[in-house]
Amino acid sequence: ENRPVPEPGPNEVLLRMHSVGICGSDVHYWQHGRIGDFVVKDPMVLGHEASGTVVKVGSGVTHLKPGDRVAIEPGVPREMDEFCKSGRYNLSPTIFFCATPPDDGNLCRYYKHSASYCYKLPDNVTFEEGALIEPLSVGIHACKRAGVTLGSKVFVSGSGPIGLVNVIVAKMMGAAVVVVTDLSASRLQKAKEVGADFTIQVKNETPQEVASKVGSVLGCMPEITVECTGVQACIQAGIYATRSGGTLVLVGLGPEMVTVPIVNAAVREVDIRGIFRYCNTWPVAIALLASKRINVKPLVTHRFPLEKALEAFETTKRGEGVKVMLKCDPTDQSP
């Protein structure tokens, strides 16, 4: 509350923040102070799923003006390196990224950001939908990397927020059938709500048994598996489940070293692909939301004002609901 209101640079905008979603990574930094090689060494503002209103624009900004409602892409390249030149700026090693040490996030009243990575929201897209573009982008990037297309049979492992956006996007991209696994019955019910055709509640089955169940409900092995948990047993199940010649995309992040049946994947030509965040997804997501081709509103299950941020983080930590949203603008009276 006592931070000074920042002044935007020539190519930046100052935003009055509106909606900020809480991500599992935010909770992880809060609880553990690090994710892999990213270590919190100084106080850091969390938050990277965000939308807000332009308050002030820098001298070089022409496409935005005060009063514009925008969604914020949190990753901004700092230099035009080989990855930016090839269109894969998410892989740039020097990229700025909200709430990744040492870069501050945007869970605050006022925030400045590169204008090129602020996208104007159409009138029929809400601030909350704008904030949800960030997790939605993970689904868009993952399903593109997986090659989801007309008639694809897709297995999504995990029914948390990222599993759910992958269900939504896979169906949008033409998947004929999507099956989802999870430990939680309530989360699987949410997967049904957003478009999953089949759900499997996992209990004590081995990875091979999970793979067999997936094949049974689909009537065949899926060409595409999107693994959203990072759990070793789930990655193993993903390999066993994927049809020969198919693709497994690893979205969930778990321990650095995991044991997997790599020879099984190799001899069956199962391609294993990783993803790192996303790139070039905000215009796609905004077009889908504006046209009402997809609906992400059911993902938000809890809302808190910024003053109750700690309560919001505790709610997320306990695994309650799906997406917890913080409202940062005390003057806004919309529901």
Side-chain angles (χ1 to χ4, degrees), residues 131-152:
L132 288 167
I133 290 174
E134 196 279 341
L136 181 61
S137 287
V138 177
I140 293 170
H141 191 55
C143 286
K144 280 185 175 179
R145 292 271 291 158
V148 177
T149 188
L150 288 172
S152 296

Side-chain angles (χ1 to χ4, degrees), residues 139-221:
I140 293 170
H141 191 55
C143 286
K144 280 185 175 179
R145 292 271 291 158
V148 177
T149 188
L150 288 172
S152 296
K153 294 181 176 66
V154 180
F155 165 33
V156 175
S157 174
S159 189
I162 296 302
L164 295 175
V165 293
N166 274 282
V167 172
I168 292 169
V169 174
K171 295 293 284 188
M172 180 67 236
M173 289 176 69
V177 60
V178 177
V179 58
V180 184
T181 55
D182 201 280
L183 297 168
S184 165
S186 62
R187 292 208 161 186
L188 289 173
Q189 180 56 41
K190 183 63 75 171
K192 279 275 194 183
E193 285 178 38
V194 301
D197 298 282
F198 299 103
T199 60
I200 299 170
Q201 186 173 7
V202 178
K203 291 172 183 167
N204 300 310
E205 296 89 346
T206 65
Q208 292 95 329
E209 287 169 343
V210 172
S212 178
K213 285 191 172 185
V214 169
S216 294
V217 299
L218 288 178
C220 61
M221 297 170 79

Side-chain angles (χ1 to χ4, degrees), residues 40 61 94-95 117 125 129 136 138 142 148 182 245 270:
V40 179
V61 178
T94 60
I95 195 168
Y117 292 81
V125 177
E129 288 175 302
L136 181 61
V138 177
V148 177
D182 201 280
V270 172

